[in-house]
Amino acid sequence: MKTKTYAVSGAVALALATVTFDAINHLSAAAVASSPIKHVVYLLEENHSFDNVLGAWCLQTSRCDGTNAGHLSGGASIGMSVAPDIVPNIDHTQPSQLKAMDGGQMDGFSLLPGCTSDTNYACYSQYEPSQIPNVAALATSFAVSDRTFEAKLMPSWGMHLNAVAGTADGFQDGAQLGPGRKGVLGPGWGCDSGRDATWYGASSAGTPVPACVPDPSLNRSVYPYGGAYRSTPVQPVPTIMDRLDAAGFSWRIYAGLGGTDNSNGYGWAICPTFADCIDTSQAKNMVADTQVLTDATNGTLPSFAVVTPTQADSEHNEDSMSAGDNWIGQVVKAIESGPDWSSTAIFLTWDDCGCFYDHVAPPAGLGIRVPMIIISPYAIAGHTDSNTASFMSVLAYTEHTFQLSALSQRDATAYDYSNSFNYQQTPLPRIATTTTRISMSEQAQLRANPPDPDDPT
């Protein structure tokens, strides 16, 4: 067994922390003037740590900080097993993630439901590059960040909120079952779901409130609670979509739509969490996930796009890793083959730990390390970026590229992956992608054991 460690460079983040929003926006304008990037694509898969997806690849390529060994609670060492294609189901709620980190010791994963000795410590596992050929090829050909962390210790619903707003707005964990709008639960976990989520507001120690960021400007006769299904203390916050609209840039959220439960991926669609998206004209910018393939082929990608998968393509716990790798390959191939490739930057990441083992202790205020692959003709080929980053960094890159005002202090001071790009280099060519066949027996197993449609993670 071997483990490689690398020093973390936080110089850029520390420097940015000393300047104001206006100064940052002014500084970024010079970079924007020379940037060929006109399209930012944020591809969000589900629930994997860095070591789980890229740890083995790092060791094989000597490119980055990976490991093939972990530590159990109590300090004993354990080798990382080869992960199965159907992703193990590990508890990754906020309390479990906190337990896994163990104050930075990173040895509490073996205490999590789904990762005890009864499951042969299933979260101490990782994928061989041959199991995820598209992800491995993209990591090899483009840039990898080995210091991107969750924005907070939260599962998917809260992380997706952070991804576009730069804050969880007081929410802590995933959405829970609630009484429903007029006694009926809707699909997903946002304003139209009738579900609740735990909120820690100004005087709250953890209160169930509607899983919705309200918009008080909505017509009160139609939306008496600002889009929430009942009264809520949650305050509105701006999103990157609001910033883009105000500046005249286009955007879309490509997501799983339709159906009557969450099995289609609607729970990850982001727009329904915000009343000023789902209950306004912004809702038209939420389109089916497959539309990204059409838009990429036709050269009609928006300035900013978030791509979230259907359940089957999500790589979520209890779903197929190969199916997700195939989907990633489809999306990237469509963009690379289309007219917009020469002006696009793709940020491929996984929204939380899942909660699979990772050996790197997060910086204060951030969550567990997740994979991040930066794909663009202007990404530095074979580069590893070890500057401390988080999901706020994608917001920062987008804001700097389009000269938008920051949403909060967190994205204003975030490192923006600038060391992963060289806008003067000869543009990188597209790479070949592949499709992995999923056996009939595994397909039958997936059909026989569908994920819980009310799982908010």
Side-chain angles (χ1 to χ4, degrees):
M1 297 179 188
K2 59 181 178 178
T3 300
K4 289 191 175 184
T5 57
Y6 294 74
V8 178
S9 172
V12 175
L14 289 173
L16 284 176
T18 64
V19 295
T20 66
F21 287 15
D22 288 342
I24 290 170
N25 291 332
H26 175 74
L27 288 170
S28 68
V32 170
S34 60
S35 171
I37 300 301
K38 307 301 179 188
H39 310 279
V40 176
V41 178
Y42 197 177
L43 180 49
L44 275 169
E45 286 289 289
E46 288 292 306
N47 300 10
H48 292 272
S49 71
F50 185 95
D51 278 334
N52 180 246
V53 174
L54 292 178
W57 175 85
C58 283
L59 294 179
Q60 292 178 25
T61 60
S62 300
R63 271 273 305 274
C64 41
D65 187 357
T67 188
N68 58 9
H71 293 284
L72 303 175
S73 179
S77 181
I78 182 174
M80 302 276 275
S81 62
V82 176
D85 188 61
I86 296 180
V87 181
N89 190 13
I90 316 297
D91 192 273
H92 50 282
T93 57
Q94 193 270 351
S96 284
Q97 293 193 38
L98 192 63
K99 184 182 292 184
M101 285 175 52
D102 188 22
Q105 297 300 306
M106 309 306 289
D107 61 1
F109 292 83
S110 59
L111 302 176
L112 306 185
C115 194
T116 63
S117 59
D118 293 341
T119 64
N120 294 317
Y121 301 110
C123 72
Y124 291 84
S125 60
Q126 58 190 183
Y127 291 90
E128 292 293 326
S130 60
Q131 294 176 275
I132 45 173
N134 290 318
V135 166
L138 292 168
T140 299
S141 298
F142 297 101
V144 167
S145 164
D146 67 354
R147 284 296 185 275
T148 292
F149 300 87
E150 299 171 340
K152 289 188 70 176
L153 287 174
M154 297 183 76
S156 297
W157 182 72
M159 283 300 184
H160 287 203
L161 201 162
N162 265 283
V164 299
T167 176
D169 201 20
F171 289 105
Q172 177 170 290
D173 224 316
Q176 307 154 354
L177 290 178
R181 190 191 298 268
K182 297 183 179 179
V184 178
L185 287 174
W189 307 315
C191 299
D192 53 349
S193 72
R195 286 170 165 82
D196 289 342
T198 304
W199 184 75
Y200 288 78
S203 60
S204 170
T207 301
V209 303
C212 174
V213 177
D215 179 1
S217 69
L218 294 173
N219 185 325
R220 285 286 176 172
S221 64
V222 180
Y223 302 101
Y225 308 114
Y229 78 91
R230 61 182 173 88
S231 179
T232 176
V234 178
Q235 297 299 302
V237 291
T239 66
I240 192 69
M241 297 91 78
D242 297 329
R243 292 284 193 266
L244 290 159
D245 276 345
F249 291 103
S250 60
W251 61 271
R252 287 193 188 96
I253 294 174
Y254 300 93
L257 304 180
T260 58
D261 60 27
N262 293 334
S263 62
N264 58 344
Y266 185 69
W268 302 313
I270 296 178
C271 178
T273 293
F274 299 89
D276 86 333
C277 184
I278 192 62
D279 294 323
T280 72
S281 61
Q282 285 191 350
K284 70 181 185 298
N285 292 342
M286 180 177 62
V287 298
D289 64 308
T290 52
Q291 183 67 35
V292 70
L293 306 178
T294 303
D295 289 351
T297 300
N298 293 339
T300 54
L301 285 174
S303 303
F304 177 76
V306 183
V307 182
T308 63
T310 62
Q311 181 80 49
D313 296 331
S314 68
E315 302 182 327
H316 189 276
N317 308 78
E318 302 186 291
D319 288 305
S320 167
M321 199 70 174
S322 292
D325 192 71
N326 290 342
W327 168 243
I328 291 166
Q330 276 188 282
V331 174
V332 174
K333 179 181 179 180
I335 295 172
E336 286 184 323
S337 302
D340 293 331
W341 167 242
S342 61
S343 56
T344 296
I346 305 170
F347 293 89
L348 168 61
T349 192
W350 286 254
D351 65 5
D352 64 59
C353 63
C355 191
F356 294 92
Y357 178 78
D358 193 84
H359 76 281
V360 175
L366 297 179
I368 293 168
R369 191 173 63 142
V370 292
M372 172 63 77
I373 304 173
I374 301 162
I375 306 154
S376 173
Y378 299 97
I380 300 173
H383 176 68
T384 299
D385 192 335
S386 293
N387 290 279
T388 298
S390 75
F391 298 152
M392 299 301 100
S393 298
V394 180
L395 283 175
Y397 180 85
T398 304
E399 291 158 359
H400 296 173
T401 297
F402 301 119
Q403 301 185 62
L404 308 174
S405 297
L407 295 163
S408 70
Q409 186 69 22
R410 297 174 73 210
D411 52 305
T413 59
Y415 169 64
D416 66 355
Y417 297 115
S418 56
N419 287 0
S420 288
F421 291 90
N422 179 1
Y423 297 141
Q424 281 71 52
Q425 72 183 17
T426 300
L428 301 180
R430 58 168 291 190
I431 68 165
T433 58
T434 189
T435 300
T436 299
R437 178 182 175 275
I438 301 172
S439 70
M440 296 297 290
S441 60
E442 182 172 312
Q443 292 182 48
Q445 184 179 348
L446 290 165
R447 287 194 299 270
N449 299 280
D452 178 1
D454 286 320
D455 178 359
T457 64

